[in-house]
Structures are given as structure tokens and as C-alpha cells.
Amino acid sequence: MSAMFAVQFLSEADLAGVADPLLGVIAFGHELPVGLRAVRLDLPLRSLATDRPSCFEAWTCTGPVTLYEEQGFSLAAGDGLLFGAISVEAGPEIEAITRDLYTCLFSVIGRAGCPNLIRLYNYVPDITALQAGEERYRLFNAGRGTAFAAAGIDPRSAPAASALGTGGSKLRVYFLASSTGSLRIENPRQVSAYHYPQAYGAAPPLFARATIADPEAGQPVLLVSGTASIVSHESLHPGDVAAQTDEVMRNLHAIFGECGAQGFEMDEVRQLKIYLRRGLDRAAVAERLETMAAPDRMVWLEADICRPELLVEIEAVCR
Ligand code: 3EB
């Protein structure tokens, strides 16, 4: 049985009427509706979509869903899929907290029979602040790396991911995993994250540029990682949000171009999440995106990007 899932942005009214079983619902800076039977996660990020009263990210599947909790995670299992979310106080011990969180995550997905991660989302408080002389994002990477190594997981099998700053004091992570395998896509314009040089920290970030879930099935889905203005391993166009956006678009085109026979097209994007360090840049960035996706398929969020010089990061889901 191949896993079938979908993700879409919904208003509160649409969420109440959604037909397929919910795995999880993510709220960006809004209160989550009461009585939702799903994994629920609040992300304290400022939503920049002033023209939309409420907007939630809804993950659905086709079969019945079982909700449960384990090792601090809220979990939804169904259809050979496992959706999970966790929030933990981060504090100064961000490296150890991240290591322990990921160690629990690997244990939880293994016990559920869904060891194949499809997508990971990481939100780190004060992500670019210094902690005892080291950037907190680098400490996060160290903790994540230790947990991957301890679980015996090959860095090249890490799934698509995002890592952004967030308000509040908690480290928030959510994920989708499956019982079946998925395909990892790299970007020929960029050094693979797990091969970044030590200049970006002793432990490299662990993620693929994209995952294709269910490449064998009739309905493959492309999940593109947070994509920034990075070529090779270097940040380009510091201080120039328009040029950074154009560079992000070139990276997205390159990633889509790697999907070969699956034939994903950028005009098929069903979900586009745009993170801006400065909310004021929205108009300048929107102009560069042109008609990449209909407005109801886009969410604009104010968030710190993991390198201080980066002003914009974009992630996408296709089909
Ligand atoms: C980059 O390409 C930009 O640490 O999980 C993007 C997606 C980024 C995921 C992560 C980091 C991560 O290096 C930052």
C-alpha cells in the first residue's frame, strides 16, 4: 500500500469542512481552532498575509488516522504515514536539547514502522544569536548530527528540511515519515548541505534539497527544502533582497530540473512558503515571484533565516 497524503493552506472555515482525515494542522501566528482531531502545532511567526484572516497548513491522508503521544511527540498514524510534532523549551542547552529531540524522533518513527522521513521542519528560537561564543544554529546542527550518527543514519538519507528562527522560547519540530522509501534530490548549483565546509560550523546541516515521496506510486509529491540565495556553499547578494530572490528562483528551477521523468513543473506548485527576515520586503519579493503560484497557495512569514546575511528563503510542495 503506498502512502497518500496532501498538504494545503486552508482558512478556518475550510479546515472545519475538510473531507479527508487530518494528520496535522500547523498554525502560523493564529490560534488553532478548538476541537480539531489532528496533531496540532502553533508556530509563533508573524504572518504577512494581511489580506487573509486565517490560514492553516493542513496535512491530510486518505485512510483512518490514529492519534497518540509518545516521548513528548504528538503523533498521527494512518495510511502507512506518521505525522508528528513537538515543542520543547530550548534555553541555552540548544545542542543537547536538539540531540535528545532527534534521538526520540528516530525512536518514535522506528517504533511506528515509519522509519523513512519524507520532510522535516525545524524552528529554533534566536537561531542566529550567539550562545557561549557559538551561533545557536551551529549548536543545533551539532546536536542533530550527533543524533543522526548515534542512530546510524547515513547523512545522505536525510530528507528535505527547513530550519528557521521562531519567536517564543521553544524549539519546534514537525515531520512526515512513511513506511515506504522516498527519493532524495540534490541541487547541482549547490554543495550538498552535508558536505558544507567547516567554515559554517564543525557539524554540517543534514538535509536533502528535496524529497520525492512515493516515486513509484501514481501520485508522487515533490517537497522542496527551504531554499536560499546560496550557490556552491556561499551566500550571494548580501543586503539585496531582490537579487537574493532571483537566486532562490534559479535554485528552485535547478531542483525541479533534477526531478527528471517525474516531470514536476514550477507552475504546478500547490504550496509555496516564503520566509522573510524583514516583513517590509514582501512587495519587492512578490514582484520577482510573478505568477509562480496563486495567492491562496502562498504563505508569507516573517522569520530569521539561519545565516544572518540571508533575507529570504522559499520552500515548496508540488502536486
Ligand atoms: C541552506 O541551504 C539554507 O538546517 O535543516 C535550508 C533548509 C537551510 C534546511 C537545515 C537549512 C536547513 O543551507 C538553510
Side-chain angles (χ1 to χ4, degrees):
M1 212 339 244
S2 68
M4 294 275 284
F5 68 92
V7 56
Q8 55 193 320
F9 295 127
L10 296 176
S11 69
E12 185 162 352
D14 292 340
L15 193 56
V18 77
D20 288 327
L22 284 168
L23 290 164
V25 179
I26 313 299
F28 311 105
H30 295 289
E31 295 249 331
L32 276 158
V34 290
L36 265 186
R37 279 197 26 87
V39 168
R40 307 152 52 92
L41 184 69
D42 276 303
L43 284 181
L45 297 177
R46 190 161 80 92
S47 170
L48 303 168
T50 47
D51 45 342
R52 205 156 32 178
S54 65
C55 177
F56 301 93
E57 181 180 283
W59 293 78
T60 51
C61 65
T62 50
V65 169
T66 305
L67 298 178
Y68 66 107
E69 301 207 351
E70 196 178 292
Q71 298 188 55
F73 283 85
S74 299
L75 298 153
D79 252 359
L81 296 162
L82 185 71
F83 187 90
I86 190 167
S87 310
V88 287
E89 281 300 329
E93 300 300 326
I94 186 69
E95 178 175 347
I97 298 284
T98 303
R99 180 198 63 211
D100 294 349
L101 186 155
Y102 266 89
T103 299
C104 291
L105 190 155
F106 293 135
S107 152
V108 161
I109 63 177
R111 285 168 49 87
C114 291
N116 303 295
L117 283 163
I118 292 172
R119 187 64 165 92
L120 272 163
Y121 298 84
N122 304 285
Y123 298 89
V124 182
D126 298 315
I127 190 164
T128 54
L130 292 180
Q131 193 82 65
E134 187 71 297
E135 239 175 54
R136 283 167 61 83
Y137 174 58
R138 296 180 180 204
L139 296 170
F140 167 86
N141 279 323
R144 176 169 57 178
T146 303
F148 267 74
I153 298 174
D154 185 338
R156 286 167 303 184
S157 73
S162 304
L164 284 303
T166 179
S169 58
K170 289 178 173 168
L171 171 64
R172 290 161 211 257
V173 172
Y174 69 99
F175 69 84
L176 180 68
S178 115
S179 58
T180 56
S182 50
L183 211 70
R184 277 85 181 94
I185 303 293
E186 289 300 310
N187 177 353
R189 304 183 81 231
Q190 297 182 307
V191 172
S192 292
Y194 43 81
H195 287 150
Y196 279 177
Q198 300 242 330
Y200 302 97
L206 297 177
F207 64 97
R209 298 301 175 180
T211 303
I212 301 178
D214 279 313
E216 319 281 315
Q219 291 282 341
V221 179
L222 174 68
L223 300 110
V224 181
S225 288
T227 302
S229 175
I230 295 175
V231 175
S232 180
H233 50 74
E234 284 170 326
S235 307
L236 297 192
H237 322 296
D240 184 345
V241 77
Q244 286 196 17
T245 305
D246 291 344
E247 207 61 63
V248 170
M249 295 301 282
R250 284 191 280 275
N251 280 330
L252 291 175
H253 274 289
I255 291 166
F256 275 71
E258 288 299 288
C259 297
Q262 305 285 352
F264 295 103
E265 301 291 339
M266 281 184 58
D267 60 10
E268 294 178 301
V269 164
R270 84 156 35 231
Q271 197 206 42
L272 202 64
K273 216 180 284 164
I274 303 124
Y275 300 99
L276 299 178
R277 178 180 301 282
R278 308 178 302 219
L280 280 172
D281 286 334
R282 185 185 165 177
V285 173
E287 197 179 305
R288 323 299 290 191
L289 299 185
E290 293 172 359
T291 55
M292 234 198 102
D296 65 342
R297 296 182 173 207
M298 295 193 195
V299 159
W300 296 77
L301 300 169
E302 190 170 64
D304 285 344
I305 324 288
C306 62
R307 294 185 189 178
E309 68 279 12
L310 294 175
L311 300 173
V312 54
E313 184 168 307
I314 300 180
E315 61 183 52
V317 179
C318 195
R319 262 190 248 159

